[in-house]
Amino acid sequence: MQAGENPPRAKGDKRARTRARLLDAALALTREKGFEQTTVQDIAERAGVSTGSIYGNFRNRDELFMALAERQWGPIRPAYRPGASFADLMEATAAATVAAIAEREPGAVGALTFRAYALRRPEVRARYRESTARGLEAGAAWLAATFPAEELPMAPEALVRVIHALMEGFTFQRVLTPDLVPDEVVYAAFRSLARRPG
């Protein structure tokens, strides 16, 4: 290699860049045209690649859309210090949810339209369910391993679903009606999970 030349890039690096370009193109197109009207050909043209590049990275259009949904609407991850109480976790979850609302707002329309798209396509709905189920199972296992059962208000499998529903519901409701869902309501909801009936 001569002085001033860039080192060769790894093949995996090129693949990651192509994948990112495809997802960026799909994001722009689905915002312009919606999921139903966005074709593989449209995505390839926008990304400046062949349709073969799409199939080299994704099995089909729906798999690309799932990857886009996961990238644009990732999980909310509260900060947790090992050894902290469940009440501390709920406080951190409320804080993470409030912080994520502003981050997620630009993608809210896409997240909702993707969900509508998935509702009309059984195979996409099944993939969405599988993806969500994996996250819920991992969350329940973590709760069960981290906190004694008597510290939790319900079984970990139910609790993780309640927490997930609160995070998703507050995000969409806050984007739609910010004045009706102030921060203190989000905090109150999560704090209520930490209170043991008495």
Side-chain angles (χ1 to χ4, degrees):
M1 187 166 68
Q2 300 291 326
E5 286 183 21
N6 291 328
R9 293 185 180 183
K11 205 172 199 175
D13 191 35
K14 181 180 179 193
R15 181 179 175 90
R17 287 192 318 273
T18 300
R19 187 177 173 93
R21 282 182 27 213
L22 291 168
L23 291 170
D24 290 343
L27 175 62
L29 286 162
T30 56
R31 284 182 175 171
E32 293 168 19
K33 301 169 69 169
F35 286 91
E36 297 285 351
Q37 302 305 317
T38 298
T39 67
V40 169
Q41 185 64 39
D42 294 335
I43 296 166
E45 286 175 11
R46 180 67 63 96
V49 300
S50 69
T51 55
S53 292
I54 292 178
Y55 295 114
N57 285 276
F58 304 98
R59 280 188 304 227
N60 53 39
R61 180 180 77 150
D62 289 341
E63 185 176 280
L64 188 156
F65 287 164
M66 275 297 301
L68 177 62
E70 289 169 356
R71 183 182 84 166
Q72 295 304 115
W73 201 262
I76 296 172
R77 299 190 191 282
Y80 175 76
R81 294 179 337 274
S85 69
F86 179 70
D88 293 333
L89 174 63
M90 290 299 91
E91 194 74 15
T93 302
T97 301
V98 168
I101 291 166
E103 295 167 12
R104 287 180 159 194
E105 187 168 359
V109 171
L112 285 170
T113 56
F114 175 75
R115 284 161 173 77
Y117 175 79
L119 283 172
R120 293 187 300 273
R121 300 182 62 88
E123 64 281 359
V124 178
R125 190 175 185 176
R127 286 185 189 166
Y128 185 81
R129 186 222 172 271
E130 289 169 17
S131 176
T132 302
R134 280 192 304 273
L136 293 173
E137 287 167 11
W142 182 83
L143 284 170
T146 305
F147 299 103
E150 59 274 6
E151 194 171 342
L152 301 178
M154 62 192 78
E157 297 77 17
L159 179 58
V160 75
R161 286 163 172 78
V162 170
I163 292 169
H164 176 73
L166 285 172
M167 285 192 264
E168 292 294 297
F170 278 132
T171 299
F172 287 121
Q173 198 60 49
R174 176 76 166 264
V175 169
L176 285 168
T177 58
D179 59 316
L180 299 180
V181 188
D183 291 357
E184 51 271 16
V185 170
V186 177
Y187 278 91
F190 285 103
R191 285 172 183 151
S192 73
L193 289 174
R195 289 193 208 106
R196 299 294 297 170

